[in-house]
Amino acid sequence: MEVERLLRQAHLQQLRGQLEEASASVQQALELMPDDASVWEMLGDLRQQAGDMQGAHDAYKRAHELAPENAAIERKYAQIVLRITTQQEQFQLWQQALEGKLSEAETGVPRRPGLAFLLSFVMPGLGQIYNGQLIKGGILLGITLIGLTLFVAVSGGKETLQNMLAFLVNPSRMRGGISQFHLLVVIMLFFVWLYAIIDAPLNAARSHRLPGVE
């Protein structure tokens, strides 16, 4: 039969990685026999291989409706339903996390305190973002970036920064002092940094605790 020939052709094209050509062959078969479950099954296979999960779902669903007793089709249909459902749940979790509506306990992802500390040590807020505390991390990161920008942008900032770096390397090379404004910014950034490096590993350690265990 022509349909069988088209399906064999589509299968060979699929093996060669010619998914578009294989889909075209299956579409021709569907035009000849739109109620053939094996054709819809093949279409589902091709769509799934191409990454079109919803398209594969629709094809497998139609195949299952046409041949509800076919165990292979039923298995493929169940697997694609499970896969789509899992993806939707993961997307919802990520969306809730990005919106700050998901607690650490709900994410169920253990964090490494050492890595959280290191990230916050390098840049306040990164450790909190790593822990899933996106709002807190964003605030700390924003304060730090704004503080650094103001420090450099305000008159004398670059010279003050050079003096501070020189002092760290060799105190005798320091020239001039530091303005009151720049001193306040340094103090503020220090406390933000100190809070971040203490808070991040503590919250990461909590994610390792089992629910109900203190």
Side-chain angles (χ1 to χ4, degrees):
M1 292 178 60
E2 181 65 12
V3 172
E4 293 179 354
R5 185 191 68 80
L6 288 169
L7 287 180
R8 287 196 299 270
Q9 177 177 292
H11 182 66
L12 288 174
Q13 291 167 331
Q14 180 187 25
L15 293 176
R16 295 170 184 164
Q18 301 171 331
L19 298 184
E20 291 185 6
E21 292 82 352
S23 296
S25 298
V26 172
Q27 290 295 341
Q28 292 179 37
L30 276 177
E31 292 176 2
L32 295 173
M33 294 193 67
D35 294 330
D36 190 314
S38 61
V39 179
W40 284 101
E41 180 186 7
M42 184 66 183
L43 182 61
D45 293 342
L46 292 171
R47 287 178 174 176
Q48 182 170 207
Q49 187 174 348
D52 181 7
M53 296 300 111
Q54 187 58 51
H57 168 274
D58 295 341
Y60 287 141
K61 180 181 179 181
R62 180 57 180 158
H64 182 58
E65 290 172 349
L66 294 170
E69 74 289 346
N70 189 309
I73 292 177
E74 184 178 20
R75 175 175 53 81
K76 291 180 180 180
Y77 180 45
Q79 288 176 340
I80 199 68
V81 169
L82 178 61
R83 186 170 180 179
I84 290 177
T85 302
T86 302
Q87 288 178 343
Q88 290 175 342
E89 290 175 350
Q90 290 176 342
F91 175 77
Q92 290 174 355
L93 287 175
W94 277 108
Q95 190 174 39
Q96 290 174 7
L98 288 172
E99 294 173 355
K101 297 179 180 178
L102 200 63
S103 67
E104 294 173 22
E106 290 175 309
T107 61
V109 180
R111 308 297 182 180
R112 295 165 57 186
L115 181 56
F117 171 83
L118 181 61
L119 289 171
S120 282
F121 183 87
V122 173
M123 178 63 71
L126 292 183
Q128 283 71 21
I129 293 174
Y130 166 73
N131 287 336
Q133 299 173 301
L134 303 184
I135 295 178
K136 181 192 288 187
I139 292 174
L140 293 174
L141 185 60
I143 292 174
T144 302
L145 293 176
I146 291 173
L148 291 173
T149 301
L150 289 175
F151 187 94
V152 176
V154 173
S155 177
K158 294 182 180 179
E159 293 76 9
T160 301
L161 181 60
Q162 291 174 353
N163 278 330
M164 292 177 63
L165 293 175
F167 178 80
L168 293 175
V169 176
N170 185 355
S172 63
R173 295 177 56 188
M174 184 173 178
R175 298 291 184 270
I178 180 172
S179 69
Q180 186 176 14
F181 172 79
H182 289 103
L183 180 61
L184 289 174
V185 173
V186 169
I187 293 174
M188 178 195 72
L189 291 177
F190 172 76
F191 280 108
V192 170
W193 174 79
L194 185 64
Y195 172 81
I197 64 173
I198 294 174
D199 174 77
L202 288 177
N203 279 289
R206 291 194 189 103
S207 70
H208 284 274
R209 298 177 184 173
L210 295 174
V213 178
E214 296 295 330

